[in-house]
C-alpha cells in the first residue's frame, strides 16, 4: 500500500510539473547552445567555476540579457522544482526593475537548491531556518519582518559597536609580526568572524570554545562543496551528512543563547538581544524562536563573508597602487596620529571613503543579485516565464564605460566628481531589500583599514596566481599572501608581477 501511495504521489508530481511547463511561455531568451549527451551541465559548470569570466563571454555575444543555455532548463539557485531556466542580466535599468518590483522578483533561501531537502526527515528540518530569514519571505511579510529588525541596525545602535570593532582589530594586530608573510584573506575572515559573532550573539571567539559564528562558518564551507548538491544524502562520510550535523549543532547553540538571554531579562548590547525584545507594532507579538534562528543566521552569512572579501580586495588594490596608498596613509596619520578612529574622525577621512567606494565598485564582493520570478514578466525586452531564476550582475553594471570612464582602472579620485544613482552603483542592493547592514559594514571596513594601514606596510608577495573564486561572494581563489612590514612608507615594494584572471577585472602594473 505504501509503495502504491508513493507511486501515485510521484506521478502526480510529474503530471503537475508537465502541466506547469506546458503553460509557460516559449523560452526566447538568447544563449549558448548545449552539447550532446552532457546537455546543460557544461554551461552550469563553467558558470560555477568562474561566473564573471563566463558571463563576460555571454554578454559580449548575446547582449545584456542572456540565458545560461539557449533553451533554458538550467537551475542553480531556485529551490523550486519547476525552474524553467537561468537568466543573467546587467545595467541600471535592469537593476531598477528587479530591485523595485518586489512582488515579481522574489528572494529564495541562501541554501538554494538544498532547501528542497528540508522536509525529508527530522534531521533535515533545520533547513527550514538556515539561510532563510528575510531571504525566504517576500512582499508584505518581508516588509513586516524587516520593520521588526530595523531598530537593531539603526545608526545609533551600529555606532555603539565601535569600541568592540576597535578592540578586536587591535587584538589581531597585536598577534602579527613584521617581516613575516600573512595570508590576508584568512586574517580578514578571522577578524570579521570575531566581530560578527560578538556583535550578533554577544560571544567572543577567544573566550568561547566553539561559538555559534564558528559553526555557521563551517556550515557555509560545507555548502560550497560541489558534491553536496550532487549527493544530498544523509549517509556518514558524505558532505551532506556533516552539513546536517553542523546545522543541528548550530540550532542547539542558538537556542541555548536565546534561552539564556531571555532568562537574564537583560538587553545585552548585541543584535540577537534586540531581536528578542522586538515586538510587532499592531499585534505586539515577538519573533518566534524559529524566526530568531533564521534571521540571525542570515545576518551573519550575509555580512561576515562579504565584509571580509571587501577588506581583502581593498588591501590587494592598495598594494598595487603605491601613490594612492601613500596619500591614504598620510591622511590617516594627519587625522588619527596612529590611533584608532573615533566616530567623529570616521567622517574626516574623505580619501578612505573614496578608496572603499572604488574598491567595492571594481571588485564587488557580491557580484550577483539572485531572484526568482513569481509570475510571467518582461525584462530587457524579453518575456520571462514564471519561476525563472534571474541573476542581476552588479559587477558588470559597475564596469559599464557609459557610467564609469576607464572602468577597469582603480581611480578613487573619480568619486570627487561623480554621483551615480543607486541603480548604477549597487554594492548593497536597492529598493525594499536594500542591505540592512550597509552602515555596519562601512563602519567596520573603515575602522579595520585605518588601523592596519597605520600599523604596518603590506607588501604583495610576487609570483602568486590571483584568480576570482566563488559565485555568490568573490574572493581570491588561492588566497592572498602579503609580507607584514614596519610602516617605512616604501609603498613601491611588491608592486607588479601579479598573475591570474584578476587582470581581466582591474588594470594592474
Amino acid at each position: 500500500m505504501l509503495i502504491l501511495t508513493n507511486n501515485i504521489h510521484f506521478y502526480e508530481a510529474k503530471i503537475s510539473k508537465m502541466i506547469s511547463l506546458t503553460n509557460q511561455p516559449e523560452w526566447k531568451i538568447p544563449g549558448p547552445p548545449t552539447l550532446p549527451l552532457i546537455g546543460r551541465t557544461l554551461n552550469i559548470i563553467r558558470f560555477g567555476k568562474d561566473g564573471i569570466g563566463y558571463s563576460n563571454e555571454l554578454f559580449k555575444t548575446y547582449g545584456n540579457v542572456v540565458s545560461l543555455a539557449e533553451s533554458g532548463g538550467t537551475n542553480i539557485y531556485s529551490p523550486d522544482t519547476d525552474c524553467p531556466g537561468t537568466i543573467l542580466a546587467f545595467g541600471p535599468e535592469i537593476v531598477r526593475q528587479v530591485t523595485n518590483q518586489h512582488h515579481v522578483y522574489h528572494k529564495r533561501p541562501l541554501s538554494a537548491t538544498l532547501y528542497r531537502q528540508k522536509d525529508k526527515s527530522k534531521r533535515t528540518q533545520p533547513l527550514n531556518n538556515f539561510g532563510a530569514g528575510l531571504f525566504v519571505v517576500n512582499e508584505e511579510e518581508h516588509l513586516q519582518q524587516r520593520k521588526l529588525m530595523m531598530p537593531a541596525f539603526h545608526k545609533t545602535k551600529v555606532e555603539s559597536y565601535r569600541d568592540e570593532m576597535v578592540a578586536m582589530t587591535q587584538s589581531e594586530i597585536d598577534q602579527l609580526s613584521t617581516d613575516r608573510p600573512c595570508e590576508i584573506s584568512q586574517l580578514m575572515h578571522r577578524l570579521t568572524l570575531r566581530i560578527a559573532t560578538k556583535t550578533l550573539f554577544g560571544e567572543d571567539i577567544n573566550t568561547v570554545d566553539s561559538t555559534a559564528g564558528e559553526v555557521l562558518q563551517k556550515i557555509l564551507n560545507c555548502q560550497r562543496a560541489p558534491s553536496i548538491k550532487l549527493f544530498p544524502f544523509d549517509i556518514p562520510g558524505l558532505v551532506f551528512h556533516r552539513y546536517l550535523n553542523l546545522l543541528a549543532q548550530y540550532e542547539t547553540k542558538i537556542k541555548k543563547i536565546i534561552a539564556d538571554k531571555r532568562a537574564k531579562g537583560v538587553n545585552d548590547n548585541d543584535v540577537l538581544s534586540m531581536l528578542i525584545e522586538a515586538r510587532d507594532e499592531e499585534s505586539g507579538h515577538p519573533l518566534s524562536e524559529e524566526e530568531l534562528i533564521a534571521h540571525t543566521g542570515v545576518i551573519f552569512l550575509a555580512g561576515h563573508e562579504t565584509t571580509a572579501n571587501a577588506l581583502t580586495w581593498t588591501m590587494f588594490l592598495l598594494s598595487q597602487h603605491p601613490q594612492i596608498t601613500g596619500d591614504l596613509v598620510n591622511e590617516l596619520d594627519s587625522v588619527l596620529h596612529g590611533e584608532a578612529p573615533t566616530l567623529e574622525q570616521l567622517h574626516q577621512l574623505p580619501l578612505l571613503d573614496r578608496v572603499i567606494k572604488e574598491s567595492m565598485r571594481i571588485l564587488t564582493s557580491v557580484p550577483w543579485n539572485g531572484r526568482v520570478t513569481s509570475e510571467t514578466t518582461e525584462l530587457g525586452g524579453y518575456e520571462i516565464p514564471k519561476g525563472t531564476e534571474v541573476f542581476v550582475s552588479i559587477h558588470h553594471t559597475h564596469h559599464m564605460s557609459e557610467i564609469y570612464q576607464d572602468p577597469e582602472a582603480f581611480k578613487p579620485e573619480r568619486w570627487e566628481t561623480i554621483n551615480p544613482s543607486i541603480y548604477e552603483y549597487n554594492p548593497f542592493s536597492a529598493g525594499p531589500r536594500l542591505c540592512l547592514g550597509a552602515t555596519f559594514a562601512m563602519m567596520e571596513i573603515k575602522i579595520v583599514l585605518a588601523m592596519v594601514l597605520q600599523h604596518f606596510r603590506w607588501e604583495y608577495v610576487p609570483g602568486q596566481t590571483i584568480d576570482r573564486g566563488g559565485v555568490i561572494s568573490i574572493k581570491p581563489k588561492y588566497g592572498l599572501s602579503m609580507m607584514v612590514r614596519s610602516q617605512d612608507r616604501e609603498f613601491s615594494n611588491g608592486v607588479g608581477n601579479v598573475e591570474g584572471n584578476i587582470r581581466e577585472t582591474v588594470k594592474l602594473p
Side-chain angles (χ1 to χ4, degrees):
M1 187 66 179
L2 179 60
I3 294 173
L4 176 61
T5 302
N6 286 341
N7 283 339
I8 290 171
H9 288 162
F10 173 79
Y11 286 112
E12 282 179 344
K14 283 285 187 183
I15 293 169
S16 175
K17 184 174 181 179
M18 288 171 63
I19 292 172
S20 175
L21 292 175
T22 301
N23 292 334
Q24 293 280 23
E26 183 182 354
W27 189 269
K28 295 182 178 179
I29 303 95
T34 57
L35 295 176
L37 299 179
I38 61 173
R40 303 166 181 85
T41 305
L42 182 60
N43 303 53
I44 295 173
I45 290 173
R46 291 190 66 186
F47 183 75
K49 186 177 180 180
D50 181 14
I52 291 176
Y54 186 43
S55 57
N56 282 343
E57 299 176 22
L58 298 184
F59 288 138
K60 287 177 183 177
T61 304
Y62 300 99
N64 73 327
V65 179
V66 58
S67 172
L68 193 58
E70 65 176 349
S71 54
T74 52
N75 184 190
I76 298 172
Y77 164 64
S78 174
D80 303 333
T81 56
D82 57 352
C83 174
T86 310
I87 289 175
L88 314 176
F90 76 96
E93 180 55 29
I94 297 290
V95 174
R96 184 198 63 76
Q97 191 170 334
V98 171
T99 56
N100 284 334
Q101 292 189 32
H102 199 215
H103 63 292
V104 176
Y105 295 93
H106 283 186
K107 270 289 187 184
R108 310 304 273 155
L110 290 175
S111 53
T113 56
L114 292 175
Y115 190 68
R116 296 171 189 162
Q117 311 296 323
K118 61 186 175 62
D119 298 319
K120 289 290 179 70
S121 70
K122 186 176 181 179
R123 274 176 51 80
T124 64
Q125 286 179 1
L127 279 167
N128 282 284
N129 298 325
F130 175 72
L134 290 180
F135 283 80
V136 82
V137 292
N138 292 285
E139 301 183 50
E140 286 304 313
E141 187 179 1
H142 168 262
L143 295 176
Q144 291 168 0
Q145 293 279 310
R146 182 184 173 93
K147 190 174 182 180
L148 272 173
M149 297 175 69
M150 286 181 70
F153 295 93
H154 187 274
K155 181 175 179 288
T156 304
K157 183 62 181 177
V158 169
E159 289 177 345
S160 72
Y161 297 130
R162 179 266 175 193
D163 291 352
E164 290 173 342
M165 291 180 181
V166 168
M168 292 185 183
T169 304
Q170 187 62 54
S171 172
E172 292 294 333
I173 287 173
D174 291 343
Q175 296 177 51
L176 295 171
S177 300
T178 55
D179 300 321
R180 291 187 178 181
C182 173
E183 212 289 87
I184 292 292
S185 183
Q186 289 181 6
L187 170 65
M188 295 308 178
H189 276 78
R190 184 171 63 249
L191 175 54
T192 58
L193 175 62
R194 289 186 64 183
I195 291 172
T197 303
K198 179 64 174 175
T199 56
L200 183 58
F201 303 112
E203 296 184 313
D204 188 348
I205 287 174
N206 280 5
T207 59
V208 181
D209 289 339
S210 180
T211 66
E214 287 177 300
V215 177
L216 276 170
Q217 183 63 55
K218 292 176 183 177
I219 292 170
L220 190 60
N221 292 339
C222 280
Q223 193 168 305
R224 289 196 185 101
S227 65
I228 196 170
K229 292 183 179 180
L230 293 173
F231 306 104
F233 308 119
D234 190 9
I235 301 173
L238 293 183
V239 175
F240 189 70
H241 179 77
R242 172 171 163 73
Y243 181 69
L244 295 182
N245 289 344
L246 289 167
L247 286 176
Q249 186 181 345
Y250 170 68
E251 286 221 347
T252 299
K253 281 185 173 293
I254 193 66
K255 284 179 180 179
K256 184 178 186 306
I257 294 172
I258 291 169
D260 289 347
K261 288 181 181 296
R262 282 174 170 163
K264 283 197 307 182
V266 177
N267 187 4
D268 294 328
N269 188 38
D270 58 70
V271 173
L272 179 55
S273 294
M274 288 203 69
L275 295 182
I276 290 172
E277 296 295 318
R279 296 292 184 273
D280 183 85
E281 285 185 356
E282 295 182 5
S283 67
H285 292 158
L287 290 165
S288 68
E289 186 177 66
E290 289 73 21
E291 287 170 334
L292 289 170
I293 293 170
H295 286 317
T296 50
V298 161
I299 292 167
F300 177 88
L301 295 171
H304 143 64
E305 179 90 2
T306 56
T307 302
N309 292 340
L311 283 162
T312 300
W313 287 126
T314 304
M315 294 289 285
F316 168 71
L317 290 167
L318 288 171
S319 77
Q320 298 303 303
H321 295 84
Q323 184 61 54
I324 295 170
T325 307
D327 292 343
L328 177 56
V329 172
N330 286 340
E331 176 183 86
L332 296 173
D333 284 350
S334 66
V335 175
L336 307 179
H337 308 293
E339 301 296 323
T342 63
L343 292 173
E344 293 74 23
Q345 288 171 328
L346 287 175
H347 302 290
Q348 300 167 19
L349 301 166
L351 180 54
L352 178 62
D353 188 66
R354 292 195 295 269
V355 163
I356 295 168
K357 282 183 177 178
E358 181 69 349
S359 172
M360 294 176 73
R361 178 196 69 82
I362 202 166
L363 285 168
T364 311
S365 293
V366 183
W368 302 99
N369 188 342
R371 304 290 176 98
V372 176
T373 56
S374 65
E375 60 186 59
T376 298
T377 189
E378 180 275 333
L379 184 68
Y382 296 101
E383 187 176 24
I384 310 298
K386 177 183 177 180
T388 300
E389 51 184 25
V390 178
F391 287 87
V392 178
S393 178
I394 302 168
H395 171 88
H396 289 88
T397 303
H398 284 180
H399 282 255
M400 292 178 66
S401 58
E402 300 93 324
I403 305 172
Y404 302 100
Q405 186 179 11
D406 197 10
E408 278 69 53
F410 179 63
K411 293 182 176 180
E413 65 271 18
R414 74 171 80 238
W415 293 93
E416 297 180 53
T417 56
I418 66 170
N419 185 29
S421 73
I422 197 169
Y423 309 118
E424 295 170 321
Y425 182 66
N426 196 235
F428 295 109
S429 192
R433 288 188 179 274
L434 179 69
C435 178
L436 275 171
T439 301
F440 183 101
M442 286 299 292
M443 184 173 84
E444 181 179 3
I445 292 169
K446 286 183 178 181
I447 287 172
V448 172
L449 287 176
M451 293 180 70
V452 300
L453 291 172
Q454 285 186 99
H455 277 79
F456 303 109
R457 175 174 64 81
W458 301 83
E459 183 179 314
Y460 177 78
V461 178
Q464 302 177 72
T465 298
I466 308 298
D467 283 347
R468 303 173 294 252
V471 176
I472 301 302
S473 183
I474 299 297
K475 63 180 180 180
K477 187 174 183 178
Y478 310 110
L480 175 62
S481 183
M482 291 189 184
M483 292 296 293
V484 182
R485 305 294 193 189
S486 59
Q487 187 48 276
D488 54 11
R489 295 179 178 270
E490 297 292 333
F491 300 116
S492 294
N493 291 350
V495 175
N497 299 311
V498 177
E499 301 175 3
N501 65 22
I502 195 65
R503 286 187 169 276
E504 300 171 6
T505 303
V506 57
K507 292 181 178 178
L508 297 169

